[in-house]
Structures are given as C-alpha cells and as structure tokens.
Amino acid sequence: MMILWLLLAEVALSGVTTGGPTVTSHPDAPSHNRLQGTAVVAVEEVMETGELNPNHYPAQRVAKVVQHYLNTLHGSPYKVFGLRRVTRAYAEDVPGSGRKYQLELSVQETVQKQTTASCSAEVRFPREANHQPPQVRILSYGDDLLKINVSVQEEALYEQYKRTQSLLFAQNLPDSYGHIEPEHVPFWHLGAVASSFVMLSESTEDTLYNMAQVANVTQLASDDDLLKFEYDVLLHEMVSQDIIAWKVLITWSPPDGVKVMKMEKREYVTTNLKTTLL
C-alpha cells in the first residue's frame, strides 16, 4: 500500500502528462524491463545523437534535469515546477567534453496548477572519471514563469514558523493512505524543492529521478532570519527502480529562497519496489 501511494505522490509532484514514453530498443543494445506508469517497457541503452523523439526516454530524462534546475532557482513551499511536455530535443557529442542536449519544453507550476510556460534549455553531461553534475543553462523563459507571485502565502508561512514556540516535526508525507495534513502540505512542497538539489546533482544520462516521500522533516532552531529544516527524503530512481534515502539540511526565507547547507546519502531503503517501506 505504501509503495502505491509513493508512486501516486510522485505523479502529483512531477506534473508529467499521462502516458509513458514509447521507447525503441536498438537490436544490438542491451535492454532491461523497467516500470513506467503501469506498463513495462524496454529502455534503450544506446545514446542517440541528432534529433530525438521528445517522448522517448533520452529526451525525458534530460528534461527532468531542467525541471530540477528550475526548482533549485525558483522553488518554494508554494511554487514547485513539474515537467509538462518536451516539444523538441537534440543531442550531440562534444569531443573531449561529453554530451550536449538542447531542449524546448513546457513546465507547469504544480502547487497552484494555474501556470504552464515554455522554456528552452541547454544541458551538458560532463564525461569525467568522477561523477560531475550536469550543467544547465536556461536559454529562454516564458513570461508566465516569471510572473508567478506567491509572496503573500510565503510571508504568512514564514511569519508563522519564525514566531512559533514549538518547532515543526512531521513524518510520512504522504502517509500509507496518501494523506497529508493541510498544515504540512507546504513542507511536502519544500521537501520536493530540497530533493531537486539532490536529484540535479545526482542525475546522469542514465537516470530518471522523482521524490517519492518526505520521510520526516524537522525544524531546527535558528539565530538569524532564516528558517532551518532537516529533511529525510526518499528518492525513486525510475530506471533502476531503487528507492534511495537522503538527508538534506536547508534554509529558507521568502527573500533568500531555498539554500542547501548539507546533503548526505543514506543507505538504500529497498530495491525494485519489492519491499514495503517502513
């Protein structure tokens, strides 16, 4: 039951339209059965170049990296971006550097669910012996993306928890029934933004990350104007089907946005979704 609700929560946060990508496997390339939505598909292991099918995994994976990047720039308890659609994708090998992708896509603000905007981006995956995060450059924004104004909600939440005498603690967002208490929903969203920092850092051309659950969130005492939170989050890597636990220490305030102070990978919680999460 818990696994089902975690997957439903991922869909709610990701903002991806229904219908998984259709993937064609190269006859000579190794392929594996992967879970995508409710259907098992074969995932292509060969890296394509040139124009990509925007609905196939290579384009979708890179687009998710752009989504995570946007959340690190603009995300808040009342503003989380999800991938809506990829309209164009192009890949090329860069000798001695790695691979470069150019994308045109649309994203939706998933909290208010009122704004969908187009953007174009360039993503480079360095080819290094040690893993290096992808490098993202936003080439253009849709005007609607910059006009999203949630300052009233953010200020109210900030004042409430800056003045509180009882520091916040919440766990299992969502719980095994898919429920989140209304007062905890902004901290689920904030956990999604914090997770985007991790998912951006960990992403490669072979991964596809979503946040599955906020296992717990603890507000920490702070001597300055920033709110400080420690998150334990569960990330679902869609290709391997691993659920991976991370601890993330963040600060947040309306003028400063979300800043990550520390990210620490924990042990694997389960593999291939065969074990119920506790």
Side-chain angles (χ1 to χ4, degrees):
M1 178 66 73
M2 173 66 84
I3 290 296
L4 174 61
W5 281 116
L6 294 190
L7 294 176
L8 291 176
E10 288 180 45
V11 172
L13 276 174
S14 66
V16 181
T17 54
T18 56
T22 303
V23 180
T24 303
S25 292
H26 190 286
D28 298 323
S31 62
H32 307 277
N33 287 334
R34 306 298 191 201
L35 185 68
Q36 173 66 21
T38 58
V40 176
V41 298
V43 177
E44 184 173 0
E45 301 294 345
V46 172
M47 294 299 179
E48 301 178 35
T49 57
E51 290 287 340
L52 305 178
N53 187 318
N55 294 318
H56 285 189
Y57 263 100
Q60 293 289 317
R61 291 172 182 171
V62 180
K64 290 291 284 186
V65 170
V66 177
Q67 170 195 317
H68 298 320
Y69 181 72
L70 289 173
N71 281 327
T72 66
L73 294 180
H74 304 296
S76 84
Y78 293 96
K79 194 187 330 180
V80 182
F81 295 102
L83 175 63
R84 183 69 176 173
R85 184 184 179 195
V86 181
T87 54
R88 181 178 180 271
Y90 182 88
E92 64 177 295
D93 285 311
V94 181
S97 175
R99 282 171 60 83
K100 180 175 71 173
Y101 292 81
Q102 292 181 322
L103 295 173
E104 294 178 5
L105 65 154
S106 60
V107 294
Q108 182 180 41
E109 197 290 300
T110 62
V111 180
Q112 312 299 323
K113 295 184 173 65
Q114 296 178 349
T115 302
T116 300
S118 299
C119 72
S120 60
E122 179 181 282
V123 181
R124 290 176 179 263
F125 289 91
R127 202 165 276 153
E128 304 284 348
N130 297 321
H131 169 70
Q132 297 294 322
Q135 302 164 359
V136 183
R137 186 163 67 100
I138 302 298
L139 304 177
S140 66
Y141 282 120
D143 291 339
D144 290 342
L145 194 67
L146 301 178
K147 293 179 181 178
I148 300 172
N149 188 343
V150 290
S151 59
V152 173
Q153 298 97 311
E154 289 181 352
E155 288 291 345
L157 185 74
Y158 172 80
E159 290 297 331
Q160 177 184 352
Y161 285 91
K162 188 62 181 173
R163 299 173 184 274
T164 185
Q165 298 298 312
S166 178
L167 297 177
L168 169 78
F169 175 78
Q171 59 184 351
N172 298 332
L173 309 179
D175 65 17
S176 58
Y177 298 97
H179 177 72
I180 302 176
E181 292 294 335
E183 65 269 24
H184 293 157
V185 170
F187 299 101
W188 179 47
H189 296 148
L190 190 60
V193 176
S195 295
S196 280
F197 283 87
V198 178
M199 293 186 285
L200 176 63
S201 176
E202 292 296 300
S203 287
T204 71
E205 293 175 277
D206 303 312
T207 61
L208 183 64
Y209 282 104
N210 284 316
M211 185 187 77
Q213 186 191 45
V214 171
N216 58 69
V217 53
T218 304
Q219 183 182 1
L220 306 178
S222 177
D223 296 329
D224 52 30
D225 292 333
L226 303 175
L227 297 182
K228 185 182 294 185
F229 300 96
E230 183 177 78
Y231 274 89
D232 286 299
V233 295
L234 303 181
L235 306 183
H236 182 196
E237 203 289 288
M238 298 287 289
V239 178
S240 66
Q241 290 299 312
D242 287 338
I243 301 289
I244 309 168
W246 281 78
K247 185 178 291 291
V248 189
L249 182 63
I250 68 167
T251 61
W252 173 74
S253 72
D256 293 288
V258 179
K259 306 294 182 186
V260 171
M261 301 176 66
K262 183 179 180 181
M263 301 187 302
E264 180 184 354
K265 187 176 182 179
R266 314 295 277 181
E267 63 185 42
Y268 282 69
V269 178
T270 185
T271 302
N272 295 327
L273 300 183
K274 294 179 180 178
T275 304
T276 301
L277 297 179
L278 301 178

